[in-house]
Amino acid sequence: MTFPAVDQPLAYPFGGAEPGEAGAMTVAPGVRWVRLSMPGPLRHVNCWLLDDAGGSALVDTGMNTDDARASWKALAKGALAGERFTRVIGTHFHPDHIGLAGWMCDHHRCPLIMTRGEWLTARMLAADVRDAVPEAMIAFRRGAGWDEVQLAHAVTRGWSGFRRIITPLPLSYIRIADGDTLRVGQVDWRVVIGSGHSPEHACLLDDYGGVLIAGDQVLPRISPNVSLGVTEPEADPLGEWLASIDRLKQLPGDVLVLPGHGDPFTGLHARLDAMAAEHHARLDTLGAALVEPMRAIDAFPLLFRRTVGPDMLGMATGEALAHLRRLAIEGRATREDRDGVWWWRAA
């Protein structure tokens, strides 16, 4: 299949058309687009239906919210009336992508397909039933520079939020790994793994049809959140994400990219180059500023274009720490612990 030529770095073949809350829009032979609303600044998440023997395979499900459930019920009475889902494929563990996976698998009596890293992370988070915020999490946030008011606000919000915005996952799943071929209907989808935004994010590539289901690994107008977290504080998520960009650059540049958020587009290589350049520029800016010691929260104005409010504080902190950690791994920064607060300076 061919798509319009890319005269500009990115092109949007459907001109802003979208399926709407109760519609399913064809974007390629055997591929339909469903868009669900979700809370937060992203406002929506994309799900994809792939024609399969006996029904459709569903890629990503939306978050476990009343609005998302209502949208699926409206679709079942309208655009998808009588349709059966043969399997649910989760690109990664984030709740806006697998929040309703358990509900869908139970209703359609179909299996869940994910990578092992995403499956295990989801199961680990869902199994944590503590109500109180762990001391390790409080120490992590204090280390990043949170003040007592910010820490107290986070404590009032409690813990174990993940399990409240997903439905219980099935007890078993089917594992996919990098390089696997997933046969759906008459199409072979090649599994392409990325990392950084999540541990083992699965993209699906139809080499013959020229379609890439990218999840959150490649988004058209924003970069996915790349965060360092308390679970693995010595990790290098930004390094993994930049390495994933290099791997994705090996894919054909003219594929139709179906992202987890935003509109389908063409211009994969241009978008990958832009995302990499943006983060390298952030690293250089931050590295130059470290002539004066700073905490992770002090890096916000250097990394983000808008003020970080309470609702985005956690994600912004994780992203700032990911950049500081990458600078440390590159030998461009060091970290000093002063009474439980981490101060970063140029190496």
Side-chain angles (χ1 to χ4, degrees), residues 272-336:
L272 293 171
D273 288 341
M275 290 193 298
E278 178 183 16
H279 281 277
H280 282 300
R282 287 181 180 181
L283 285 169
D284 291 342
T285 299
L286 185 56
L290 289 178
V291 292
E292 297 292 335
M294 69 173 62
R295 303 160 299 174
I297 62 167
D298 300 325
F300 289 176
L302 302 173
L303 298 176
F304 310 117
R305 297 186 181 94
R306 57 185 178 182
T307 302
V308 175
D311 290 342
M312 301 302 294
L313 181 59
M315 294 180 69
T317 298
E319 185 121 9
L321 286 169
H323 282 75
L324 291 163
R325 173 69 177 154
R326 175 94 290 259
L327 288 172
I329 289 172
E330 292 178 358
R332 299 162 66 184
T334 61
R335 193 188 86 180
E336 179 185 355

Side-chain angles (χ1 to χ4, degrees), residues 76-102:
K77 295 178 181 178
L80 303 181
E83 188 150 359
R84 174 180 176 268
F85 293 161
T86 58
R87 40 191 151 171
V88 172
I89 304 166
T91 58
H92 61 299
F93 80 89
H94 292 163
D96 52 326
H97 293 264
I98 65 157
L100 290 172

Side-chain angles (χ1 to χ4, degrees), residues 101-120:
W103 184 59
M104 287 293 189
C105 290
D106 182 63
H107 180 75
H108 291 275
R109 299 183 181 276
C110 66
L112 175 62
I113 300 174
M114 295 179 70
T115 65
R116 179 180 286 171
E118 301 297 329
W119 161 260
L120 290 177

Side-chain angles (χ1 to χ4, degrees), residues 2-13 210 252-257 264-271:
T2 59
F3 298 96
V6 184
D7 298 324
Q8 301 297 325
L10 264 65
Y12 297 90
D254 59 352
V255 294
L256 174 67
V257 182
F265 68 94
T266 56
L268 173 64
H269 289 184
R271 184 60 189 139

Side-chain angles (χ1 to χ4, degrees), residues 210-232:
V211 179
L212 175 69
I213 299 176
D216 283 359
Q217 199 67 34
V218 189
L219 301 176
R221 292 187 173 91
I222 61 171
S223 290
N225 178 259
V226 178
S227 285
L228 185 72
V230 68
T231 305
E232 195 177 352

Side-chain angles (χ1 to χ4, degrees), residues 55 60 204 305:
D60 290 342
L204 300 177
R305 297 186 181 94

